[in-house]
Amino acid sequence: MTVTDIPASDTKLDLPPLKLGNITVETPVVLAPMAGITNTAFRRLCREHGGGVFVSEMVTSRALVERTPESMRLISHDPDEQIRSVQLYGVDPETVGKAVRMLVEEDHADHIDLNFGCPVAKVTRRGGGAALPWKLDLFTDIVQTAVREASVGGLPLTIKMRKGIDEDHLTYLEAGRIARDAGVAAVALHGRTANQFYSGKADWDAIARLREALPDVPVLGNGDIWSAEDAIAMVRQTGVDGVVVGRGCQGRPWLFGDLMAAFEGSDTRLKPGMAEVSAAVYRHAELLVDTFDDENKALRDIRKHMAWYFKGYVVGGDLRAALASVPTLEVLRGLLDQLDMSGEYPGSDAEGPRGRAGTPKRTALPAGWLDNRTVSSTEGAELAGAEIDASGG
Ligand SMILES: Cc1cc2nc3c(=O)[nH]c(=O)nc-3n(C[C@H](O)[C@H](O)[C@H](O)COP(=O)(O)O)c2cc1C
């Protein structure tokens, strides 16, 4: 990879390692949990470039307690993953507690994160995901139960949330205080409301307000970090103890190399040419074959990464189309061999926003959900369905 220098004044920052309970994370960077993305294959690619915590795809606590094959895959880690991090989602304190206990007793994790950020209608419509912190009793119960069960094994438990449902129904400051009082090891905030989905800009001022409101627990900032410079800017602007990076590393697992360099005060940045990108794509596909033990499934999965990997690079339209529907490793090899391997890093065209965006929409909620900050008996019955098909944040 070629390396480009940027002025040191833009990047130097003296941030101590991130402490998550008894775990010290030298590079204060977290790979955001992303359903369908942050499987063992992608986590390996990312951590080969830099340090941090690399969180699994979300697993629902009910499916985990029921030991469905998919949930067991979701919590699996490579033997050399040093901080085995699992993200759990749940709406029922008892089931969440059982899921945490299972992770602890069977030694499946070193760190557990709870997801309270899912904006998807089929989840929020029943009061789950980003709608849940509005109900202070239930939120408190889930977090307290999870922290208690995690503490039995000495595991740090963190939460990840959004600002709230919409600008008139913000929950992050209260939820942050409740979580802090419950004994979480850190609180991560994605600076958007559920209404925003992934649209607009993440509100870093809200992240700064949370940091200020919770001086006694690590706060992690999330939203719109597309480069190491963005990460440094977020830390400067908000005072957070670490950053959580999602879409910015889609098709750019080497971003973790840039982040590590930046947090170490180095100006070195990775600028991969076509040959390196092509090698990364093939390796990603091979790792996915290992992960799924199913070449067909793995190749279907790698297709969604193609546009991200080749963003800004010169690839003909026909070849792009063929890569986006590649059926086997052998065909992938042949297609990649058609690329111009002398192609250099295209600069800013390869950087910047990628992945989910969308438009704001009103969050679907159970009738009367916003009228009361505690769960009624009808709402409780509806909530039971809010774990079904939950997929993401
Ligand atoms: C494809 C995709 C899947 C996601 N899945 C999850 C998830 O399982 N759990 C979660 O807490 N957040 C999930 N998120 C949200 C991200 O973790 C992150 O909060 C969000 O993308 C904002 O960060 P970014 O601007 O760095 O992407 C997902 C996001 C995307 C794009």
Side-chain angles (χ1 to χ4, degrees), residues 334-367:
L335 293 173
L336 295 174
D337 286 346
Q338 294 174 41
L339 294 164
D340 174 8
M341 294 299 172
S342 66
E344 289 182 4
Y345 185 68
S348 58
D349 288 349
E351 298 164 5
R354 65 219 19 251
R356 276 186 196 169
T359 44
K361 13 186 168 187
R362 197 156 156 195
T363 304
L365 296 169

Side-chain angles (χ1 to χ4, degrees), residues 164-215:
I165 293 170
D166 57 40
E167 289 298 329
D168 296 325
H169 300 90
L170 298 175
T171 50
Y172 69 104
L173 290 172
E174 263 169 318
R177 289 192 187 100
I178 291 169
R180 185 265 321 270
D181 293 346
V184 299
V187 174
L189 178 62
H190 175 192
R192 285 188 173 82
T193 60
N195 269 22
Q196 284 180 282
F197 268 62
Y198 295 87
S199 69
K201 277 192 73 163
D203 175 2
W204 290 7
D205 291 340
I207 296 171
R209 279 194 288 279
L210 184 68
R211 166 66 292 168
E212 209 177 309
L214 303 178

Side-chain angles (χ1 to χ4, degrees), residues 32-35 58 87 115 160 190 198 222-224 246-247 392-393:
M34 288 185 281
M58 177 190 92
Q87 192 191 48
N115 177 6
K160 178 166 174 286
H190 175 192
Y198 295 87
N222 173 228
D224 298 351
R247 293 164 297 166

Side-chain angles (χ1 to χ4, degrees), residues 32-37 56-58 87 113 115-118 160 162 190 192 198 202 222-226 244-248 250 308 355-356 391-393:
M34 288 185 281
I37 307 285
S56 74
E57 305 170 82
M58 177 190 92
Q87 192 191 48
D113 184 50
N115 177 6
F116 292 103
C118 184
K160 178 166 174 286
R162 288 187 178 234
H190 175 192
R192 285 188 173 82
Y198 295 87
N222 173 228
D224 298 351
I225 293 177
W226 309 107
V244 184
V245 179
R247 293 164 297 166
Q250 288 176 333
W308 299 324
R356 276 186 196 169
S391 59

